[in-house]
Amino acid sequence: MYAWPAPKVPVLPGQGRDLTVHDTSTDGRVTLGPGPVARLYVCGITPYDATHMGHAATYVAFDLAQRVWLDAGREVHYVQNVTDVDDPLLERAAATGVEWTALAERETALFREDMTALRLLPPRHYIGAVEAIPDIVPLIERLRTMGAAYDVDGDVYFSVDSARHFGEVSRLDAAAMRTLSAERGGDPERPGKKNPVDPLLWRAARPGEPSWDGASLGPGRPGWHIECVAIALDKLGMGFDMQGGGSDLAFPHHEMGAAHAQVLTGEHPYAASYVHAGMVAYEGEKMSKSKGNLVFVSRLRAAGTDPAAIRLALLAHHYRSDWEWTDADLAGAERRLAHWRAAVSRPDGPPAGAVVEEIRAALADDLDAPAALAAVDRWADAQHGAGGDDTGATGVVSRAVDALLGVAL
């Protein structure tokens, strides 16, 4: 599966900084020193209702991480999946009368268009669950051989009790795990399971559902968590630098993925850091497909909104915060974009070195985009006020905003 075109990233004078992030698994800060190649895995969409602002906020956040690493002189090996077969996708296809493959293809194409418009750096590997099935099946077979998986009426489940470090990613107690499992695609009440939160590895074929050859597993399709594990282990290996996604993925998705990988490899940890973006609300409730309270990037674009303004509206909120999208967010972003563009339109301006370092420092400090925006605001205010005679300063600021914040002025 192909991703989307890569925007050109300007090279800035000086040297970027190491990235410090908040790690969910320790509830503390960790400074990442990944060496010459930074390895990043961000969980992708289930392709229906793409791309809403909750999606966009998450992917913009991890785009910033890539830009910090690039500015520090590192190569970035970024991998993202597409869950192009899963119960919610099949349910939406049935409800709308659209073939599930056509729905997945349409929404994935729309997602690519939105990511291109928002100037997100594409993953090196963009892989669908369906194309990963040949890699997934052997992992499930191995888990079953190891005694870490078991059958329930033809379905195959992972035993969380086989994973010595289970629970260390989300740090939740058993009651909270059971509640979230029920809310987020699990089946804790199913009879025959060893532990209520044990996740599905392989769903045996059902009438009317797509299925694939599972070798010794029989016909069926993979569970959600093992999909990402197969892709990440194949493309990144154990101990990659950052596992990213929305905060609703900490449990069960990232917890289960880490458990699968640790049992399969005998190594720990799965990722050096687990970094989670906050949830975006709209009209008083979390923006979600189930609630239908979605604001779409594509609809804003179709209405004539500059994608740079959409990106600035997202960057105005710290990635870890939960916040609510309003029309005022977008209006403020449009004013900021116009203010910045007018400031860099002059040939000279206030010295640019300090603002570049302020942006670098803010982003290296747990991707503090609001602080980075404030630094550019101060420079633009000074430009509109007294101006300056530093030839080339406006070009440096424009390139810094492009390279580090992904906003083309």
Side-chain angles (χ1 to χ4, degrees):
M1 183 177 289
Y2 65 92
W4 53 90
K8 184 176 176 60
V9 179
V11 177
L12 303 178
Q15 181 72 37
R17 308 182 183 199
D18 282 335
L19 176 60
T20 297
V21 292
H22 182 89
D23 173 32
T24 300
S25 68
T26 61
D27 195 26
R29 293 164 66 88
V30 57
T31 299
L32 301 174
V37 180
R39 295 176 294 161
L40 169 66
Y41 189 98
V42 181
C43 297
I45 62 165
T46 300
Y48 68 102
D49 284 342
T51 308
H52 62 69
M53 286 302 156
H55 289 144
T58 294
Y59 297 116
V60 165
F62 294 103
D63 186 65
L64 292 182
Q66 291 188 75
R67 291 171 181 275
V68 171
W69 277 325
L70 291 171
D71 186 48
R74 293 186 167 93
E75 180 184 349
V76 179
H77 188 170
Y78 172 31
V79 179
Q80 187 181 133
N81 71 302
V82 183
T83 303
D84 54 358
V85 61
D86 199 13
D87 289 344
L89 173 66
L90 300 177
E91 290 164 6
R92 175 59 61 86
T96 56
V98 177
E99 174 65 31
W100 70 271
T101 54
L103 176 60
E105 289 171 3
R106 184 191 75 198
E107 294 295 303
T108 303
L110 182 57
F111 179 75
R112 291 188 187 101
E113 292 171 9
D114 289 337
M115 296 299 99
T116 302
L118 292 174
R119 303 188 74 249
L120 269 73
L121 301 173
R124 181 184 299 184
H125 300 288
Y126 191 53
I127 302 173
V130 171
E131 67 181 292
I133 287 174
D135 297 317
I136 295 170
V137 169
L139 297 188
I140 300 173
E141 290 178 320
R142 192 191 317 168
L143 287 169
R144 193 159 64 170
T145 299
M146 297 171 72
Y150 61 96
D151 294 5
V152 177
D153 299 327
D155 297 331
V156 183
Y157 283 84
F158 175 76
S159 173
V160 298
D161 294 331
S162 68
R164 186 159 59 92
H165 296 281
F166 180 72
E168 292 183 2
V169 173
S170 60
R171 299 175 293 104
L172 298 174
D173 61 28
M177 286 184 180
R178 184 165 181 157
T179 297
L180 290 177
S181 175
E183 293 175 359
R184 298 174 179 174
D187 54 0
E189 303 303 324
R190 182 172 183 178
K193 293 175 62 175
K194 294 180 179 180
N195 186 310
V197 301
D198 284 349
L200 188 69
L201 291 168
W202 188 255
R203 177 179 168 87
R206 265 74 160 174
E209 292 187 2
S211 63
W212 289 263
D213 178 18
S216 68
L217 306 174
R221 56 185 168 92
W224 176 28
H225 317 303
I226 193 65
E227 162 199 345
C228 282
V229 171
I231 295 169
L233 290 181
D234 179 52
K235 302 302 182 185
L236 297 175
M238 284 292 284
F240 57 91
D241 297 289
M242 185 185 294
Q243 166 77 81
S247 59
D248 56 346
L249 296 186
F251 189 89
H253 191 48
H254 291 167
E255 188 73 72
M256 297 302 180
H260 292 346
Q262 290 158 20
V263 172
L264 282 164
T265 66
E267 300 176 24
H268 175 75
Y270 178 48
S273 65
Y274 295 88
V275 181
H276 293 104
M279 297 290 99
V280 180
Y282 182 59
E283 296 180 338
E285 294 187 282
K286 171 192 166 186
M287 198 177 293
S288 69
K289 301 163 188 172
S290 61
K291 296 181 186 300
N293 60 336
L294 303 177
V295 177
F296 293 97
V297 172
S298 58
R299 292 182 187 172
L300 291 177
R301 292 194 294 112
T305 302
D306 190 326
I310 299 172
R311 183 166 177 128
L312 278 176
L314 298 171
L315 292 173
H317 302 271
H318 192 279
Y319 82 94
R320 284 199 294 115
S321 65
D322 295 332
W323 56 282
E324 182 166 354
W325 174 271
T326 67
D327 292 341
D329 282 291
L330 186 57
E334 290 173 329
R335 288 192 298 271
R336 172 175 267 147
L337 182 62
H339 188 60
W340 288 8
R341 284 178 170 165
V344 300
S345 67
R346 304 182 189 180
D348 304 318
V355 68
V356 172
E357 293 309 312
E358 287 181 64
I359 298 170
R360 280 173 163 156
L363 295 182
D365 183 14
D366 198 23
L367 303 173
D368 191 349
L373 300 191
V376 182
D377 286 341
R378 289 190 293 271
W379 181 89
D381 289 344
Q383 172 72 309
H384 286 296
D389 57 4
D390 189 348
T391 302
T394 56
V396 172
V397 172
S398 182
R399 289 192 296 276
V401 169
D402 187 347
L404 298 172
L405 295 172
V407 176
L409 299 179

